Amino acid sequence: MKRSNEKDGKNEKHGRAAAPASHPSPLPIRIIPPRGDYHTLHAFQKSEVVYDLTFRFTHKYLSRGDRTVDQMIQAARSGKKNLLEGSKAGRASKEMEIKLTNVARASLEELLDDYLDFLRLRDLPIWDKDSKEARFVRQLGRREPQTYELYREFFETRPPEVVANIAICLIHQANYLIDHQLLRLEKDFVEQGGLRERMTRARLDYRNGTSGKHGNDGLPPQKTATLAAHHSHPSHSSHPYAAEEKISIAAIREIYASLLPVERACALRTECCQFRLTGKIPHLTRGEALVAARAFQATGRKSLPVRADGACPLLRQETSRCLIYESRPFGCRTHFCAAAGGPQARRDVVGLIRRLEAIGHGLGGREARPISEALGEWL
């Protein structure tokens, strides 16, 4: 059989398979579009410089044992790694790429606040954005490629307040780039749709092209399209977003792991679990609720019990122990009764809270909701 060109069915310019000669229709939709190397992303390059600088800064200028060291490094790492993972996940899920890119943005915002705290608490100057120093760093930030080597001399020869201000400038630059990247991703999603839409369009184009007026099922193209669209949106019970859930759960657990333990004299009195007694009900972001719900389901239970005493529904009545202790929400990890030493200060965990909120927004949640209500959406 004679080939349609001299490249084994490949389009030399676009790298696509050529349409069969009997099909005058356009080339099929690319289900998984090609992607460039994430190393070429300016936002990734900038975030990698921020990570390299932060790792060295915290070990050089912060005290050993200071919890801020791990928190800053984790925030910087999250900024870089979520951009990487988002870029790779974006081939199959634009939604997941937007979500992970947003997590990276929230992580860098947390890190920015840590650098500002470093300067503010030590009464050190914070550069104005139009100062000559800030303008110099912006000029340096235009060089390509962006690597730590461009800033090594400043880190090794300048005092900590200068290095911290340089880091602040770089984070602002990275955030600016990520904000524009998010706008582009949103525009691409609106114009091109997601993976399921591309798969449906590609399949329908193929079937309509090969069968002419009717599809392979003997149905008119309009009816075929309707059925395909129906089957491309399976019921919730089949968990069509299992991959997205898995990534979100991993991101939530990473945040939980970055929360360093504090010294508290908790005697396991479970007073904080007695909502009617305390008058306080934990509110969960959608991501926290997902983690808790999956842990609850792993116990073999399907629905939350109704506690007549007003206690947490996750508190086992027979033993007064949490059913999902290892997967307990963020508030349960940071709130302690007065007898145990009181809750952690919000200023110490506000960055982590922002990251949880970003993941929750990516899952379709708008605001934190009471624990039973939040869990009920996933059960």
Side-chain angles (χ1 to χ4, degrees):
M1 181 177 69
K2 185 177 180 181
R3 293 173 177 168
S4 58
N5 57 30
E6 298 297 322
K7 298 293 182 180
D8 286 333
K10 300 292 183 181
N11 182 302
E12 183 175 5
K13 181 176 180 181
H14 297 290
R16 295 179 177 177
S22 60
H23 293 185
S25 58
L27 292 174
I29 298 170
R30 292 293 296 267
I31 295 177
I32 300 181
R35 293 298 298 267
D37 184 358
Y38 63 86
H39 284 102
T40 63
L41 283 173
H42 291 166
F44 178 82
Q45 292 180 10
K46 197 78 68 174
S47 67
E48 187 169 59
V49 173
V50 169
Y51 174 75
D52 292 351
L53 191 150
T54 299
F55 184 88
R56 292 169 171 84
F57 179 89
T58 53
H59 284 97
K60 184 174 182 178
Y61 296 117
L62 297 181
S63 302
R64 179 177 296 182
D66 187 341
R67 291 185 301 148
T68 310
V69 173
D70 285 337
Q71 290 175 347
M72 290 181 69
I73 292 175
Q74 284 295 327
R77 181 182 183 277
S78 176
K80 170 188 172 183
K81 296 298 185 180
N82 277 292
L83 286 175
L84 182 160
E85 190 173 356
S87 177
K88 291 300 182 182
R91 296 196 67 202
S93 174
K94 188 68 67 177
E95 178 186 356
M96 185 53 57
E97 183 176 13
I98 293 173
K99 182 187 304 179
L100 291 170
T101 303
N102 199 43
V103 172
R105 177 64 169 83
S107 297
L108 290 177
E109 192 70 25
E110 173 192 352
L111 182 63
L112 174 64
D113 195 58
D114 283 331
Y115 275 112
L116 290 171
D117 284 345
F118 176 88
L119 296 172
R120 178 174 53 81
L121 295 174
R122 292 163 178 79
D123 295 321
L124 297 172
I126 298 175
W127 294 348
D128 182 82
K129 66 176 183 178
D130 294 321
S131 66
K132 63 178 183 180
E133 294 87 356
R135 290 200 304 271
F136 176 81
V137 177
R138 281 201 294 274
Q139 283 295 118
L140 202 59
R142 293 189 176 97
R143 296 187 185 179
E144 295 185 15
Q146 282 286 296
T147 68
Y148 174 73
E149 294 305 317
L150 290 172
Y151 306 90
R152 180 185 292 275
E153 178 184 355
F154 302 102
F155 176 79
E156 294 177 349
T157 61
R158 301 302 194 275
E161 62 267 26
V162 172
V163 179
N165 272 290
I166 291 175
I168 289 171
C169 291
L170 292 173
I171 295 171
H172 278 305
Q173 293 171 25
N175 285 344
Y176 173 84
L177 293 169
I178 293 174
D179 286 342
H180 280 265
Q181 185 175 337
L182 284 168
L183 289 174
R184 179 184 59 78
L185 290 172
E186 291 173 4
K187 182 175 181 290
D188 289 347
F189 180 78
V190 170
E191 293 178 351
Q192 303 169 18
L195 176 64
R196 291 177 181 83
E197 293 177 69
R198 292 197 300 272
M199 291 175 68
T200 301
R201 288 201 303 268
R203 181 63 180 151
L204 290 175
D205 285 351
Y206 177 80
R207 293 176 68 173
N208 292 335
T210 55
S211 301
K213 184 176 180 181
H214 293 86
N216 290 345
D217 296 323
L219 297 172
Q222 295 85 353
K223 185 65 174 178
T224 305
T226 302
L227 290 176
H230 172 75
H231 289 297
S232 69
H233 293 84
S235 65
H236 176 73
S237 60
S238 63
H239 300 294
Y241 301 109
E244 289 88 342
E245 285 188 13
K246 184 177 180 181
I247 294 174
S248 297
I249 289 173
I252 294 286
R253 293 195 183 282
E254 180 182 346
I255 294 173
Y256 288 169
S258 66
L259 180 64
L260 299 179
V262 294
E263 292 184 7
R264 291 292 188 272
C266 183
L268 301 178
R269 295 160 61 178
T270 69
E271 287 186 6
C272 54
C273 305
Q274 306 295 330
F275 301 158
R276 184 176 298 171
L277 176 65
T278 63
K280 298 178 180 179
I281 298 177
H283 283 56
L284 278 59
T285 62
R286 189 162 172 79
E288 292 176 90
L290 169 62
V291 172
R294 295 296 175 256
F296 179 77
Q297 290 172 327
T299 68
R301 296 166 173 83
K302 296 182 179 180
S303 60
L304 291 174
V306 178
R307 295 288 299 260
D309 58 357
C312 176
L314 299 175
L315 188 67
R316 190 165 186 170
Q317 200 158 7
E318 301 85 2
T319 62
S320 293
R321 292 291 179 267
C322 181
L323 287 168
I324 61 159
Y325 187 77
E326 294 301 323
S327 299
R328 65 195 186 282
F330 189 79
C332 300
R333 298 166 184 266
T334 57
H335 179 81
F336 298 88
C337 65
Q344 286 185 252
R346 180 178 173 82
R347 65 176 178 275
D348 292 338
V349 296
V350 66
L352 299 179
I353 293 174
R354 289 172 181 162
R355 289 164 62 185
L356 290 171
E357 291 172 343
I359 296 174
H361 292 160
L363 288 168
R366 295 190 177 276
E367 58 185 16
R369 309 178 76 171
I371 184 168
S372 295
E373 185 180 338
L375 283 170
E377 293 183 346
W378 290 109
L379 296 176

